[in-house]
Amino acid sequence: AQSVAQPEDQVNVAEGNPLTVKCTYSVSGNPYLFWYVQYPNRGLQFLLKYITGDNLVKGSYGFEAEFNKSQTSFHLKKPSALVSDSALYFCAVRDWGKLIFGQGTELSVKP
Amino acid sequence: ETGVTQTPRHLVMGMTNKKSLKCEQHLGHNAMYWYKQSAKKPLELMFVYSLEERVENNSVPSRFSPECPNSSHLFLHLHTLQPEDSALYLCASSQDSGESNEQFFGPGTRLTVL
């Protein structure tokens, strides 16, 4: 069965510094990978996805993610964090029409 | 706004009550989903509808009953719930149930069962 893991429950970053939120996956076949963000009292918002092609995927709000097949990773990155990026981030993999989510990583960006 | 709305946003109900959650999408999508989000747990897929037919029931107890009268609307009927059913219930839609399509989520209904 397909699965994703987010090894960090929380990531703390100073504003202006680069951020990375980690995700590793386990799939059979080609993975379809997604990142979502959830702000307090809101639903999930789609950030970006990897289907095929370039390993570096660019998404909303300046976020990008790098697909690494050898390391089975799909880490989310941003060159310069903003306080408004503070939220809960979910990595997900598509499995026969279903999205399988990781447990989420709380990102906290301090001024 | 994602184009997916949910009502009510908050709901408190007793274990003997019957209530319904409503989801509406304005995106022209053909697939709709119900998820349960509990604290400290990954999102749990509950139901999937594609072209108004249920294609997935992820071992959900019968006290949760979905209904999809058309491609724009999805309901979750609730009866005789338990306190452990308290959670955020999220509705989502996608173009279809294909592998590469991202899902668009509503804001959720925060359910508390007393």
Side-chain angles (χ1 to χ4, degrees), chain B residues 62-97:
Chain B
S62 60
R63 58 185 183 269
F64 295 91
S65 175
E67 178 189 4
C68 188
N70 55 62
S71 60
S72 299
H73 293 86
L74 185 65
F75 295 89
L76 188 63
H77 304 300
L78 317 171
H79 65 98
T80 59
L81 295 192
Q82 304 298 311
E84 59 265 31
D85 296 323
S86 298
L88 182 67
Y89 288 85
L90 293 166
C91 173
S93 71
S94 64
Q95 181 64 44
D96 53 45
S97 56

Side-chain angles (χ1 to χ4, degrees), chain B residues 1-55:
Chain B
E1 295 299 325
T2 61
V4 181
T5 59
Q6 289 186 245
T7 55
R9 293 293 308 274
H10 300 271
L11 178 62
V12 179
M13 59 187 290
M15 289 191 284
T16 58
N17 292 156
K18 290 184 179 181
K19 297 287 184 183
S20 296
L21 310 185
K22 179 182 177 181
C23 175
E24 183 173 2
Q25 58 95 0
H26 311 273
L27 302 168
H29 288 167
N30 292 318
M32 296 187 78
Y33 311 78
W34 279 117
Y35 288 88
K36 177 183 179 182
Q37 185 178 25
S38 304
K40 308 295 184 184
K41 293 176 69 175
L43 272 76
E44 302 171 52
L45 177 67
M46 299 175 73
F47 300 104
V48 180
Y49 276 82
S50 179
L51 296 172
E52 301 152 43
E53 288 193 21
R54 190 190 309 178
V55 297

Side-chain angles (χ1 to χ4, degrees), chain A residues 1-110:
Chain A
Q2 324 282 49
S3 66
V4 292
Q6 295 179 243
E8 301 157 317
D9 288 339
Q10 183 155 12
V11 171
N12 298 307
V13 178
E15 187 175 31
N17 283 1
L19 70 86
T20 299
V21 183
K22 295 180 180 177
C23 172
T24 58
Y25 65 89
S26 174
V27 303
S28 55
N30 295 321
Y32 296 120
L33 296 159
F34 301 79
W35 274 103
Y36 285 83
V37 60
Q38 185 177 30
Y39 298 100
N41 301 313
R42 302 280 294 274
L44 278 68
Q45 294 181 34
F46 169 75
L47 279 179
L48 51 80
K49 65 181 178 181
Y50 172 81
I51 304 301
T52 186
D54 289 341
N55 290 342
L56 186 64
V57 179
K58 294 188 182 298
S60 306
Y61 312 121
F63 284 93
E64 57 188 29
E66 186 170 10
F67 172 69
N68 188 317
K69 189 172 183 178
S70 63
Q71 297 185 4
T72 62
S73 67
F74 189 56
H75 300 333
L76 182 70
K77 299 181 179 184
K78 188 173 183 180
S80 178
L82 300 173
V83 173
S84 57
D85 292 329
S86 298
L88 188 57
Y89 290 80
F90 292 95
C91 181
V93 63
R94 202 64 187 248
D95 179 16
W96 290 101
K98 301 183 295 185
L99 271 179
I100 309 298
F101 286 89
Q103 64 269 39
T105 298
E106 185 82 39
L107 173 66
S108 177
V109 182
K110 301 295 186 186

